Amino acid sequence: MNAQLLTAYEITAGYGAMDILHGVSLSVHPGEIVSIIGPNGAGKSTAFKAMIGVLKPRNGRVVFNGEEITGLRPDLVLRRGLAYVPQGRIVFPLMTVLENLEMGAYTVTDAREVAAALERVYALFPILAERRKQKAGTMSGGEQQMVAIGRALMTKPRLILLDEPSLGLSPKFVTLIFDKLIEMKRAGFTLMIVEQNAARALAIADRGYVLELGRNRLEGAGTALLADPEVKRLYLGG
Ligand SMILES: Nc1ncnc2c1ncn2[C@@H]1O[C@H](COP(=O)(O)OP(=O)(O)OP(=O)(O)O)[C@@H](O)[C@H]1O
Ligand SMILES: [Mg+2]
């Protein structure tokens, strides 16, 4: 197996005085899709925030690309090549699609690099090229999610953390977003995904984790977790 691209070792983190994560460990190897599932409130989003520096872990370490990034500011984490698409497909509604994408490249100073990044995003999401002049706030939920993902791709990140990319989308867009995640993997991106759609998230995953109450509960190959009786009962409605 390759060296790990990102490792979170026994992270303890929370809000105010309250710990939400109690020693969570997660890792991703280059080229993998890793999916994280678990009930509402398990701490999945909190784990992402602790890895990208929005929350400072009280304990534990985050190592990215061989360097410790524990508690490093989010903008510096992004410059190291770790991008984050937050839960809730947040776009700048009054800005155009193109302006939203350009915002994603604020750390990139070379105009040719920005142009090349735009071309990559448009190749993955042709609809964004067609709608480049449209205000992002007037697009459908699925289209806004593509804008949010496209914005994260503008820095050519080594790893992208996607928090609930399919949440609240119509079935057509859910299928489209999962297809795009597979396309991103084929294009060489490494992905870590938090998803309530456990069946689909595990189906596309090389590996997966189940978090419960701020702790690691289960982990394994995506196919193994899909076949796990407990995962089936609790998360796959079987
Ligand atoms: N900003 C915050 N301040 C205080 N508590 C918070 C904050 N954000 C989340 N929490 C609490 O932390 C716990 C874990 O929340 P988190 O958002 O990480 O869960 P999650 O697994 O992502 O859940 P969901 O599936 O609902 O997105 C919850 O009890 C939540 O109420
Ligand atoms: Mg969440």
Side-chain angles (χ1 to χ4, degrees), residues 92-145:
F92 301 102
L94 299 178
M95 292 170 63
T96 65
V97 167
L98 174 60
E99 288 163 347
N100 268 274
L101 295 176
E102 285 171 345
M103 287 293 282
Y106 78 97
T107 59
V108 183
T109 45
D110 183 339
R112 280 166 310 178
E113 256 181 64
V114 175
L118 261 181
E119 285 317 307
R120 278 197 309 273
V121 170
Y122 288 157
L124 185 64
F125 299 115
I127 189 148
L128 298 186
E130 288 167 31
R131 306 288 187 83
R132 66 183 86 196
K133 304 250 174 71
Q134 186 173 334
K135 290 211 174 20
T138 65
M139 299 178 83
S140 73
E143 291 162 353
Q144 290 188 26
Q145 186 60 278

Side-chain angles (χ1 to χ4, degrees), residues 50 118 173 193:
L118 261 181
F173 275 120
I193 305 162

Side-chain angles (χ1 to χ4, degrees), residues 4 17 24 31 36 51 72 86 111 116 166 172 198 200 209 212 228 232:
Q4 287 164 356
V24 165
I36 302 167
M51 291 194 282
L72 195 66
S166 84
K172 183 186 90 174
R200 288 187 120 120
Y209 292 89
E212 277 176 20
D228 184 283
K232 275 188 174 166

